[in-house]
Amino acid sequence: MSLLVGVVAALTATVIGTAVGATAGALGGWVDRTVMRLVDTFSSVPHLLLGIFIVAMFRPGVWPVVISVGLTHWLSTARIVRAEVLSLRSRPYIDAAVSGGASRWRVVVRHLLPGVLPQAGLAAVLMVPHAMWHESALSFLGLGLPTHTASLGTLIQGARGSCSPGSGGRPSSPDCS
């Protein structure tokens, strides 16, 4: 379950980050400055704390965790995509498309987005283990997936309670240390 949540959350964050980064890079000017200041503001808040806040508004389940992780992890993808869009905007084939009469959105869809897809895909792949870690942390705290769902966090939480101290302060099971 942790892998599924990690993949879906990473894809969600990648779509959001790609859209925000491409918009900021393509429009430039005050839109770029405003969007990137918002990215900086959200980056100043720890992901896990923001994730706890978002998940606490819902009942434990898969979708609240996916939404929480997706909404807190798009920032790095937005920065990567924006940087690549700014790099691609200075290429001669973009100037040729604009000189040929292509609209701004046509340039974005036909030339810029295909140019940033490899970086966005790599960001998604690298985000999967991080998203799995956040899901596990939220589930361990009891805010993520329901306790009857097998995920890394719920398994660790369940194992934590299985080694209770017996008489004399020793674990009751010989397997507990």
Side-chain angles (χ1 to χ4, degrees):
M1 204 58 191
S2 293
L3 182 61
L4 176 67
V5 170
V7 168
V8 174
L11 290 175
T12 302
T14 301
V15 168
I16 294 170
T18 302
V20 170
T23 301
L27 295 179
W30 67 271
V31 173
D32 182 30
R33 288 189 301 273
T34 304
V35 168
M36 294 319 292
R37 291 309 71 82
L38 287 173
V39 168
D40 291 341
T41 303
F42 280 117
S43 293
S44 67
V45 180
H47 295 236
L48 191 57
L49 287 178
L50 190 57
I52 289 171
F53 177 74
I54 293 170
V55 169
M57 293 189 294
F58 302 101
R59 295 163 79 186
V62 173
W63 289 111
V65 173
V66 167
I67 291 169
S68 168
V69 174
L71 288 178
T72 58
H73 287 75
W74 59 271
L75 305 166
S76 60
T77 305
R79 285 187 176 146
I80 292 168
V81 168
R82 175 190 171 265
E84 188 63 23
V85 166
L86 291 177
S87 171
L88 291 173
R89 278 181 32 190
S90 64
R91 303 275 170 92
Y93 69 92
I94 300 295
D95 293 335
V98 171
S99 297
S103 68
R104 179 180 284 179
W105 291 110
R106 180 166 176 84
V107 169
V108 169
V109 172
R110 297 275 299 169
H111 301 291
L112 296 178
L113 280 179
V116 301
L117 286 181
Q119 288 79 8
L122 182 61
V125 169
L126 293 174
M127 198 180 311
V128 171
H130 192 74
M132 288 173 61
W133 177 77
H134 275 273
E135 179 276 321
S136 299
L138 291 170
S139 295
F140 177 78
L141 294 173
L143 297 170
L145 301 179
T147 55
H148 61 81
T149 305
S151 79
L152 295 174
T154 57
L155 293 174
I156 294 170
Q157 177 63 16
R160 182 174 171 245
S162 66
C163 293
S164 60
S167 61
R170 292 181 166 178
S172 59
S173 169
D175 296 334
C176 297
S177 55

